[in-house]
Amino acid sequence: MITLDIQNLEAKIGEKQILKGLNLQLEEGKVHAIMGPNGAGKSTLSKAIVGHYDVSIVGGDILFKGKSIKDMEPEERAKEGIFLSFQNPVEVPGVNNAYFLRTALNAKRVHEGKEELNAAEFLRLMKSHLSELGMKPDMISRSLNEGFSGGEKKRNEILQMLILEPDVIILDEIDSGLDIDALRAVSEGINKMKDGKRSFLVITHYSRILDYIEPDYIHVLKDGQIVKTAGAELVAQLEEEGYDSIAIEQ
Amino acid sequence: MRLNSFKNKNLEELATLLAISPQNRPLKKFIEMGGLPSKKSEAYRYFNIESLLDGEYESLDYTPKVVNEGEEIVIENGVITTAPQGVRVYYEPCEQIDDDHFDPLYYLSHALYPRTIKIEVDGDRELKIVHRFTKSYAIINYRIVLFNQANRHSTIYESFEGELVQNSFIMYGYDMHIAPDSSFRVVKLQTLQNQNYSMLASHKINVEKNGSCIFKSFDLGGDHALQLIKVELDEYAHIDAQHLLYLNNDSKRGTVSQIIHKGQHSTSNQEAKNILDGASRGIFDALIKVEHSAKYTKAIQNSKAILLHDKAYMVSKPQLEIYIDELEASHGSTTGQLDPQQLFYLQSRGISAIEARKMLVIAFANTMIETIRDSRHQELIRNEFDKVFYSKED
């Protein structure tokens, strides 16, 4: 079953067209990795899916579980079940991490017709995930991402993912700035989320993260389009021959 | 009463009009300063004072009433109605009027209300002062003198009730004397809705040797109000002044202040945070003056503003006037908007645009709100924030 169906997507940032008729289908329960050279449009694709204000969609469509989301507000897409783990999560001084995450979770629960969690229930849920990610307990009482190291920010993204339990998870350069231990902890968090139903879109420059999160499909994005889709074996070819080799095949 | 009828009157004429002696010191000072302020007056340059002075108001009778015992000091329409046991609250002529206040209305207010409300704060304690206004279309004018004792540490929570009045004009203010080696903390919370009342609060704060004043004002909502504060710091005296403004609609509010370092090793830290929505105008016109006698002073002054609407406007004028070399001083001012990246981040987790906006507005203010020691009072301020946030007219 297809959870996210991107059809002939054309998108601009400012006046510059970045995505030029991109087609991509994410299958339920599968890990899709997007690889590509700098400037190919990988981050623009992730931004287009979540409705970032930088990106304007000028053609094509994005269907989530069969429903078009391209005109939805970012918060509506999130409540539907789409989650983007940011490459550089922004710091938000003064917004308490736990308060933020409880507000987000309860917004989603209300959207799903469930009861909101009270502070005590939420704290229990949060604490159960903190130790798994090797996060210090005081991080939940600090301001959102403020003063966090690169690794702490990424772990915090994974914590949000574990709590919000989205259906489609987009990981934008999740491995950037992580040391081996942090990468392992983050990858374990991600692997825990694999349940045979949830779909992953892993956007990366390097194959390192794919040693930890085994992809089912590799898509190569170049010049605003998916130019090749193959199995995990494509990673080795890209490592050896680079992205130019893909252009030759087209 | 129409205050504008005082315009162009000399001392004798005004004394006759007000039925007070031409020897009245505050009245003489008021005339010496040029009488009623106008939009050209330094203290009121950014505030529409003339429309307030031009209003027709009912004058009130300030005859003292029986004071009931209660948990808080209640001053209703300029008259004490309630006071807690153990707090000395009484009426007395004000003997220590500032000689050189920058606000002419400080003197007019004293002249019109010669019998000030005197509050002596004994020991270490917390007090609540409630200013209650129930008269519409009235000018309500009163002065408060606050004293504490040496080596004592007190807190005053000041609040205002006037939701039921219409178009009144309040002039009030403190003459505050902070004793040596003592600390005095004042936390003011005032939410105004349009057309309840406008306010001018003209204060004088004297901080004696080794004394410390913490003055925190939380001014929220609409309408027109200005606090004009003059502070004098003796040796090793300190003031920590924090002003939070969160305005909506076409409100004009803010702080005009002078902090004067007179004694050596005196320190001041003044910080303003301003959140301006609608077509509101925030004012932070603040001077720190370091006199020749105030060697080794430390003075810090900062103003930050967030504009939530393209019609919102911030007047930010931090100023330093320094007459010595041996000091540490800095001042700064920034004005910006909510960070779109932060807004998007919150929205991308399912938080609605309006809630995300509110979270960021509160976050900006939180560094000040969290400095309030009493958590119930913190909660009160946050609740007022919520009310103002959801009540704005788009």
Side-chain angles (χ1 to χ4, degrees):
Chain A
M1 185 185 161
I2 305 301
T3 45
L4 193 73
D5 188 3
I6 301 172
Q7 300 175 342
N8 204 26
L9 190 67
E10 294 180 31
K12 284 182 171 182
I13 291 186
E15 287 305 304
K16 190 174 180 190
Q17 182 150 0
I18 309 289
L19 301 182
K20 300 166 182 170
L22 183 144
N23 290 292
L24 178 68
Q25 292 185 326
L26 298 195
E27 289 179 22
E28 187 178 83
K30 301 292 183 191
V31 178
H32 296 251
I34 298 254
M35 299 184 76
N38 289 332
K42 301 188 295 295
S43 287
T44 303
L45 172 61
S46 66
K47 285 178 172 177
I49 297 169
V50 296
H52 193 278
Y53 55 88
D54 269 353
V55 177
S56 48
I57 292 175
V58 291
D61 207 347
I62 304 171
L63 306 180
F64 178 62
K65 296 178 182 173
K67 188 163 73 176
S68 174
I69 59 165
K70 77 178 167 71
D71 295 323
M72 280 185 185
E73 295 298 325
E75 60 268 32
E76 295 304 319
R77 301 182 200 209
K79 286 189 285 194
E80 287 289 329
I82 296 173
F83 182 94
L84 168 65
S85 168
F86 288 83
Q87 189 175 344
N88 296 307
V90 67
E91 296 191 8
V92 193
V95 171
N96 175 276
N97 203 13
Y99 173 68
F100 150 73
L101 197 41
R102 185 158 78 95
T103 307
L105 175 61
N106 281 336
K108 187 163 187 273
R109 288 179 69 89
V110 168
H111 181 75
E112 291 166 349
K114 295 177 185 166
E115 285 214 359
E116 293 187 18
L117 292 191
N118 64 34
E121 290 167 334
F122 174 75
L123 210 61
R124 272 197 295 277
L125 174 69
M126 199 166 188
K127 278 184 175 166
S128 69
H129 293 303
L130 280 175
S131 54
E132 294 166 22
L133 290 168
M135 289 172 78
K136 293 174 202 153
D138 74 327
M139 285 177 71
I140 60 172
S141 54
R142 285 164 59 183
S143 287
L144 176 56
N145 293 327
E146 189 186 30
F148 286 18
S149 68
E152 285 173 332
K153 283 182 182 172
K154 294 291 168 73
R155 285 174 209 234
N156 204 34
E157 294 287 286
I158 303 304
L159 174 69
Q160 294 168 24
M161 195 174 88
L162 288 167
I163 284 175
L164 295 173
E165 298 187 320
D167 298 324
V168 167
I169 293 168
I170 303 160
L171 303 161
D172 189 5
E173 308 276 3
I174 191 74
D175 50 344
S176 70
L178 294 187
D179 60 31
I180 294 291
D181 291 337
L183 182 62
R184 190 173 293 130
V186 163
S187 303
E188 279 170 10
I190 294 166
N191 285 328
K192 256 192 81 176
M193 295 291 289
K194 289 183 183 174
D195 62 355
K197 283 188 166 291
R198 201 164 270 135
S199 308
F200 292 81
L201 183 62
V202 183
I203 293 171
T204 184
H205 269 301
Y206 306 106
S207 59
R208 191 174 64 151
I209 185 77
L210 303 177
D211 293 337
Y212 295 93
I213 309 165
E214 289 174 25
D216 297 293
Y217 298 101
I218 304 289
H219 308 274
V220 178
L221 177 58
K222 280 184 76 175
D223 196 24
Q225 290 180 316
I226 300 292
V227 294
K228 187 175 180 79
T229 295
E233 70 282 355
L234 183 59
V235 177
Q237 183 194 333
L238 291 170
E239 282 285 299
E240 203 166 304
E241 300 171 24
Y243 294 111
D244 284 345
S245 65
I246 304 300
I248 293 163
E249 285 180 11
Q250 295 302 303
Chain B
M1 179 194 277
R2 208 170 132 258
L3 289 174
N4 252 351
S5 64
F6 300 173
K7 223 174 200 173
N8 303 322
K9 295 266 189 298
N10 63 32
L11 180 62
E12 284 71 26
E13 289 168 336
L14 194 52
T16 308
L17 185 68
L18 297 173
I20 53 180
S21 161
Q23 296 308 313
N24 179 289
R25 198 161 67 91
L27 191 66
K28 281 167 86 174
K29 278 295 291 187
F30 173 67
I31 293 293
E32 276 170 31
M33 289 182 79
L36 285 180
S38 68
K39 61 185 172 191
K40 289 181 183 164
S41 306
E42 191 62 36
Y44 294 95
R45 185 176 291 178
Y46 308 105
F47 186 77
N48 190 6
I49 185 68
E50 286 174 337
S51 67
L52 287 182
L53 301 178
D54 208 29
E56 182 71 47
Y57 306 104
E58 182 195 347
S59 298
L60 300 186
D61 172 19
Y62 300 107
T63 305
K65 291 178 181 169
V66 174
V67 178
N68 300 310
E69 195 182 309
E71 289 183 355
E72 43 202 27
I73 296 173
V74 178
I75 302 169
E76 187 171 313
N77 302 322
V79 177
I80 312 159
T81 58
T82 307
Q85 207 176 21
V87 179
R88 295 191 64 207
V89 184
Y90 51 99
Y91 297 94
E92 197 176 85
C94 186
E95 286 157 7
Q96 295 183 41
I97 293 170
D98 187 55
D99 285 330
D100 193 23
H101 203 289
F102 62 91
D103 176 19
L105 294 181
Y106 168 84
Y107 293 108
L108 181 65
S109 180
H110 267 291
L112 293 173
Y113 193 86
R115 198 174 42 211
T116 53
I117 297 169
K118 209 160 186 176
I119 303 173
E120 286 188 32
V121 184
D122 297 335
D124 300 336
R125 67 180 301 164
E126 283 189 2
L127 269 182
K128 285 183 184 165
I129 298 180
V130 179
H131 303 265
R132 185 174 293 150
F133 311 117
T134 62
K135 301 279 187 188
S136 293
Y137 301 97
I139 180 162
I140 303 172
N141 172 60
Y142 56 104
R143 301 286 319 168
I144 301 167
V145 178
L146 268 175
F147 274 96
N148 70 341
Q149 297 168 327
N151 291 305
R152 295 299 190 177
H153 308 281
S154 315
T155 301
I156 284 186
Y157 291 104
E158 195 184 22
S159 62
F160 298 81
E161 296 175 3
E163 297 82 0
L164 299 176
V165 301
Q166 279 188 311
N167 294 313
S168 282
F169 174 30
I170 320 294
M171 285 203 297
Y172 95 108
Y174 290 107
D175 285 275
M176 205 181 288
H177 303 275
I178 299 174
D181 301 297
S182 72
S183 72
F184 215 97
R185 181 180 280 265
V186 178
V187 180
K188 170 198 169 198
L189 172 60
Q190 186 174 33
T191 306
L192 288 179
Q193 300 304 325
N194 270 355
Q195 296 184 335
N196 282 152
Y197 59 90
S198 302
M199 175 175 270
L200 295 178
S202 200
H203 305 304
K204 168 67 197 299
I205 303 172
N206 249 355
V207 191
E208 295 185 37
K209 188 176 177 181
N210 267 325
S212 175
C213 176
I214 293 116
F215 183 94
K216 295 171 193 264
S217 58
F218 296 86
D219 293 311
L220 318 177
D223 224 310
H224 289 49
L226 198 61
Q227 54 184 7
L228 303 105
I229 309 166
K230 184 184 170 193
V231 181
E232 286 186 352
L233 299 172
D234 207 343
E235 271 182 30
Y236 291 96
H238 172 73
I239 183 158
D240 187 359
Q242 297 189 351
H243 316 292
L244 183 73
L245 268 188
Y246 175 29
L247 305 184
N248 58 18
N249 303 328
D250 59 352
S251 173
K252 282 190 181 64
R253 290 170 71 177
T255 300
V256 179
S257 68
Q258 286 189 359
I259 296 175
I260 301 172
H261 288 258
K262 287 182 166 292
Q264 292 192 2
H265 298 280
S266 51
T267 53
S268 64
N269 184 9
Q270 188 176 29
E271 186 183 9
K273 283 200 166 185
N274 312 282
I275 303 156
L276 306 175
D277 208 342
S280 65
R281 173 185 287 193
I283 300 163
F284 178 68
D285 184 356
L287 170 73
I288 292 182
K289 187 175 172 187
V290 183
E291 295 192 343
H292 291 286
S293 53
K295 281 184 180 172
Y296 318 116
T297 279
K298 194 171 177 183
I300 300 167
Q301 193 182 38
N302 202 328
S303 167
K304 288 180 183 164
I306 286 184
L307 307 181
L308 300 178
H309 196 283
D310 54 8
K311 286 185 179 162
Y313 186 75
M314 180 69 207
V315 177
S316 182
K317 260 182 75 182
Q319 303 145 78
L320 290 172
E321 191 178 315
I322 295 169
Y323 294 94
I324 52 165
D325 294 327
E326 303 87 344
L327 84 164
E328 276 181 55
S330 69
H331 66 166
S333 172
T334 57
T335 301
Q337 292 167 329
L338 287 182
D339 183 341
Q341 285 190 61
Q342 292 178 339
L343 270 175
F344 179 76
Y345 187 83
L346 301 181
Q347 286 179 263
S348 77
R349 298 302 183 242
I351 297 169
S352 69
I354 190 155
E355 283 301 316
R357 204 171 140 95
K358 191 183 94 178
M359 279 173 122
L360 294 183
V361 165
I362 289 270
F364 180 72
N366 254 347
T367 51
M368 279 194 182
I369 297 172
E370 284 170 355
T371 62
I372 303 297
R373 288 177 181 168
D374 184 333
S375 59
R376 286 165 306 175
H377 209 80
Q378 279 193 22
E379 201 52 39
L380 195 67
I381 295 169
R382 290 203 176 92
N383 289 343
E384 290 296 307
F385 243 88
D386 271 10
K387 273 192 224 163
V388 173
F389 187 86
Y390 291 114
S391 72
K392 67 181 181 183
E393 297 160 11
D394 288 318

